[in-house]
Amino acid sequence: MAAPQSTEANWRAFVLAHGWLAAKHELAAVLGVTPDAIEALRATGACTKLAEPLDFPALFALWHGRAPTDDEWPAPRKAGHGAYEWQAPEIALLASLVGRLGADEIAPVLTARLRQRTADPAAERTLVAVQVRINQIGLQSSDVLGGITVTEAGRQAGSTAVVHQAIRKGTLAARKVGRLLVIPHEAWEAWKAQHAAPPEGYVRLSTLRQPLGIRSDKLSEFARMGHVPGAVRCNPFGVPGPSTQFGTWYIDPKGAAKLLADRRAGRPMPWHGKPLLDNLRVTFRLWQQRRHPITCATCAAIWGEQGAPAVFEDYIGRYPALAHGAKRHLTLPWTPGLTVAEVAGQSGRSQAHVRRAIGNGVLAATTDDDRLYVTRTDATRWVARGCPSGDGEKSWIAVDTACRQYLFTPRDLQRHIDEGRLQHKIGTAGAMRDIDYVLRQQCAQLRETLGFGEEEAARRVGVSVERLRALLDGLTWRRAEGIPLATVQAAIKRRESQEGYTLEEAAALLDMPLAWVKARKRDGTVRVSQARWDRRRQYLTAPMLERLREALSRPAPQAQPLGEAWLRLGEAALEAGVSAATVLRWAEDGELVRHSAASGGRYHREAVRARARRYWAGVRFHRATPPAWLAAEGWERARAA
């Protein structure tokens, strides 16, 4: 419909028919007249009252027969607090921008439009105003078109970290929309379809961390390396709880129960003693950074004839089996050791004293670039021994003493002397004349270096190899190529401490029940010995076994049964009319005789009554009730007063 002519009669009739309570500036913009003219006409009160006032789009459509374009709207006016009003075109533009731009990016766009419409360079749409208007029209600044935000995806997946990890790895597509990271719906559905649910009944492996006493994330690492039997890796979707970039691990309930039972019983876990690949990478990198020169004799002895590993694969095959001290040496910063001057300063002795100790062999040293160096360990041990120079008598021991203390044979010592590994001398004065002596410290170091083979150790202990293995079982020592001297000495003590008979063996030899032997132990017939290496092991010596034989041939006298006059503790308490604790106190104070029996203490009835008469004669409790026999004897409360 064409717009009517803007004659005075037409616009007046329009205002009277449709302008009731409508905004006068909007009516003026629609009709093309001044607001004052419209206000003067409406002041007559002739306007037709409507159900509700008409807004600008309705007025424009009634006058022009079509909806207004954005350019035909009147310029926004200032409303409360000096801010410009919001109009439908601006709100429509705002709604179209939500989901593509953030609120901080939408505000400058609306500010530029507002300044153009109002010709006011100070006009502004602030971030707060934009956010409030977005909320009023029922939208959110986090709403996006054609996708889902990472926050919402993490809420569905149960972990935002997993979503971010998938985006970084490239397995989940995402794009930037304003300040938000948006995942397309198709990519999100495809990613969810790749996730597998755990088997039915399986429990999350991470729930065992606290019961197993593990504070770090090593449990999942153990599972990835195959050290957790029965563990399976899943990528569950929507399951609450933490997850990692390597997935979430689950374990069968029976396997979880076994792990917890082993942990409570103190048994080793499946991953104990197993090398961890991450740790090996760290130690390999540290070893390469601090690699010692080829002149380091300790490194050469550690790696053996094969030499140092050239690649990481060779390293991980040989490094885990090394002793802890060897691993520590390989990663220590290289130093040839302490100079003679440094050892002298550390020990408080002169350099001549240190050189004399090195020359006599009581302090080991190496030569590097024509200079003497002593390792910190050797220097510390030398200082702890009192800084011996090797000239004193205490530094030398006879060959027989060395054989006895360090379990060498005279032939072995002579061989080491001939090969230059041991210094020796022959005594020239007094009782030392013509006696061969060797350095004590060199003997100790040589024995520590050589150790014992199984056959040699068995000969020193005086048992067979099989018996030696039984003796070594349970001893704490580091498994190495040689058995240490201290371990062999402990095996000797263990063998010596096993002389005698256990209670079970004694019962079998005497053909008597074990209970009879234990009874003779309780009554003092025999005394049980204990092994020094294990106080829990009890045995009987040969003389004690003879005592048992004598006791067997001499029957023990039978105890006479007690009569009815002897009362048990509870019966004595009832007889006296007091508590059991009172009867025990009387016996401990010597006021009541107690007879010891196998079933407990017994008290004679007459002794109990005699002590009860004295008790009730001075009782202070008015509500106390005396026993019946005492009342029959004529006891009264007045007499107690």
Side-chain angles (χ1 to χ4, degrees):
M1 183 177 69
Q5 297 180 356
S6 181
T7 61
E8 183 174 355
N10 289 339
W11 71 261
R12 283 179 175 273
F14 186 85
V15 171
L16 294 176
H18 307 290
W20 180 74
L21 296 182
K24 60 181 179 181
H25 72 284
E26 294 181 349
L27 270 173
V30 171
L31 301 176
V33 297
T34 62
D36 295 337
I38 292 176
E39 185 64 26
L41 178 59
R42 291 196 302 188
T44 61
C47 293
T48 304
K49 292 184 178 181
L50 303 176
E52 57 182 11
L54 300 178
D55 55 5
F56 178 80
L59 294 172
F60 191 92
L62 290 174
W63 182 254
H64 293 281
R66 59 179 177 84
T69 62
D70 293 349
D71 296 336
E72 293 174 337
W73 279 73
R77 296 189 310 160
K78 286 187 176 182
H81 304 290
Y84 284 93
E85 64 178 347
W86 289 82
Q87 294 180 342
E90 189 176 17
I91 295 175
L93 176 60
L94 172 63
S96 65
L97 296 177
V98 173
R100 293 186 296 170
L101 300 177
D104 54 344
E105 297 174 321
I106 295 175
V109 176
L110 298 184
T111 297
R113 180 185 182 281
L114 183 63
R115 291 177 180 177
Q116 180 183 4
R117 294 285 297 165
T118 60
D120 182 5
E124 182 183 11
R125 291 299 188 195
T126 63
L127 175 62
V128 176
V130 172
Q131 188 64 57
V132 170
R133 185 56 57 175
I134 290 175
N135 296 338
Q136 288 179 349
I137 62 178
L139 299 178
Q140 295 182 4
S141 58
S142 60
D143 291 341
V144 291
L145 300 177
I148 182 174
T149 62
V150 173
T151 303
E152 180 61 26
R155 189 178 298 111
Q156 296 182 16
S159 173
T160 307
V162 175
V163 179
H164 281 291
Q165 290 164 0
I167 293 174
R168 285 195 299 269
K169 292 171 61 177
T171 58
L172 184 59
R175 67 175 186 273
K176 195 75 172 179
V177 176
R179 62 180 179 82
L180 302 175
L181 198 59
V182 180
I183 305 170
H185 291 298
E186 298 79 5
W188 177 241
E189 295 298 330
W191 185 81
K192 290 193 299 183
Q194 298 175 356
H195 284 60
E200 185 178 357
Y202 275 50
V203 296
R204 190 186 290 266
L205 185 62
S206 59
T207 59
L208 305 181
R209 282 175 48 189
Q210 183 175 357
L212 292 177
I214 299 177
R215 296 174 177 266
S216 63
D217 295 332
K218 286 295 184 181
L219 197 55
S220 62
E221 184 178 351
F222 296 150
R224 281 190 288 121
M225 299 183 68
H227 298 333
V228 182
V232 295
R233 181 168 57 183
C234 304
N235 292 318
F237 175 77
V239 178
S243 184
T244 66
Q245 58 179 332
F246 305 106
T248 305
W249 289 88
Y250 287 81
I251 187 172
D252 180 61
K254 295 182 179 179
K258 186 178 185 305
L259 289 177
L260 296 178
D262 291 343
R263 177 67 174 83
R264 297 189 186 100
R267 292 187 287 269
M269 294 287 98
W271 51 83
H272 283 178
K274 304 294 179 61
L276 300 180
L277 195 60
D278 294 346
N279 295 350
L280 291 174
R281 289 194 183 96
V282 173
T283 56
F284 180 71
R285 183 167 57 252
L286 186 61
W287 171 66
Q288 288 182 319
Q289 294 173 356
R290 300 178 176 179
R291 191 165 182 174
H292 299 176
I294 57 176
T295 57
C296 180
T298 306
C299 289
I302 291 173
W303 294 122
E305 297 180 356
Q306 299 180 6
V311 294
F312 179 68
E313 287 72 14
D314 188 16
Y315 176 84
I316 62 178
R318 300 168 58 188
Y319 179 82
L322 297 178
H324 179 72
K327 295 178 180 178
R328 185 173 181 270
H329 173 82
L330 292 175
T331 54
L332 281 176
W334 163 249
T335 174
L338 301 176
T339 62
V340 173
E342 291 173 339
V343 175
Q346 179 177 335
S347 61
R349 303 301 175 94
S350 64
Q351 296 188 31
H353 183 88
V354 177
R355 292 184 183 276
R356 188 161 59 252
I358 294 174
N360 290 333
V362 295
L363 179 59
T366 57
T367 304
D368 188 9
D369 197 14
D370 296 332
R371 298 186 66 183
L372 290 174
Y373 291 96
V374 180
T375 63
R376 294 183 182 274
T377 302
D378 289 337
T380 302
R381 291 178 177 177
W382 181 69
V383 173
R385 295 197 307 270
C387 305
S389 64
D391 297 334
E393 296 181 359
K394 293 183 178 180
S395 299
W396 297 85
I397 57 176
V399 171
D400 294 340
T401 305
C403 293
R404 185 173 60 257
Q405 290 185 356
Y406 300 104
L407 302 183
F408 284 109
T409 63
R411 181 181 299 178
D412 291 338
L413 287 180
Q414 187 61 45
R415 177 168 53 84
H416 294 315
I417 291 173
D418 296 340
E419 294 176 357
R421 286 193 287 267
L422 274 179
Q423 297 187 26
H424 81 293
K425 69 177 182 178
I426 300 176
T428 58
M432 300 175 59
R433 185 184 301 274
D434 298 332
I435 297 179
D436 292 334
Y437 289 88
V438 291
L439 276 172
R440 182 191 303 272
Q441 180 59 24
Q442 284 188 345
C443 286
Q445 291 178 346
L446 187 60
R447 175 50 72 196
E448 182 181 359
T449 303
L450 296 177
F452 294 91
E454 275 194 341
E455 295 182 358
E456 184 181 5
R459 287 197 303 271
R460 298 294 186 270
V461 178
V463 295
S464 63
V465 175
E466 291 74 14
R467 182 60 176 166
L468 173 68
R469 292 172 181 171
L471 290 173
L472 294 179
D473 187 19
L475 292 178
T476 303
W477 62 287
R478 180 174 296 161
R479 307 288 172 170
E481 295 181 359
I483 303 174
L485 173 63
T487 304
V488 175
Q489 292 173 339
I492 294 175
K493 292 180 180 179
R494 174 173 279 196
R495 178 185 61 80
E496 294 175 350
S497 66
Q498 285 185 340
E499 298 296 335
Y501 308 90
T502 63
L503 300 182
E504 292 78 3
E505 292 172 346
L509 287 174
L510 299 176
D511 195 19
M512 293 295 293
L514 179 61
W516 182 84
V517 178
K518 291 182 177 180
R520 302 292 75 75
K521 169 190 169 183
R522 288 194 299 268
D523 61 22
T525 303
V526 293
R527 183 178 65 253
V528 176
S529 301
Q530 291 180 326
R532 288 180 296 175
W533 55 271
D534 188 357
R535 295 297 180 184
R536 296 172 298 179
R537 185 182 184 278
Q538 299 179 348
Y539 62 92
L540 298 174
T541 60
M544 295 296 106
L545 187 62
E546 291 301 323
R547 288 191 183 182
L548 284 180
R549 287 194 174 98
E550 293 177 3
L552 188 60
S553 61
R554 183 181 65 254
Q558 298 294 328
Q560 295 297 328
L562 298 177
E564 297 181 356
W566 291 92
L567 306 178
R568 299 177 183 272
L569 177 60
E571 296 171 343
L574 292 175
E575 186 72 17
V578 297
S579 65
T582 302
V583 175
L584 290 175
R585 188 176 72 252
W586 291 346
E588 292 172 357
D589 294 343
E591 301 175 355
L592 182 62
V593 177
R594 177 170 54 194
H595 179 77
S596 298
S599 59
R602 298 295 181 91
Y603 308 87
H604 199 275
R605 187 186 305 275
E606 293 302 327
V608 172
R609 290 190 174 187
R611 182 61 184 88
R613 291 187 184 97
R614 296 198 306 271
Y615 171 79
W616 287 101
V619 69
R620 296 174 297 170
F621 304 104
H622 294 284
R623 299 181 62 182
T625 303
W629 62 267
L630 186 59
E633 291 180 357
W635 181 88
E636 298 179 359
R637 177 69 60 182
R639 294 174 57 187

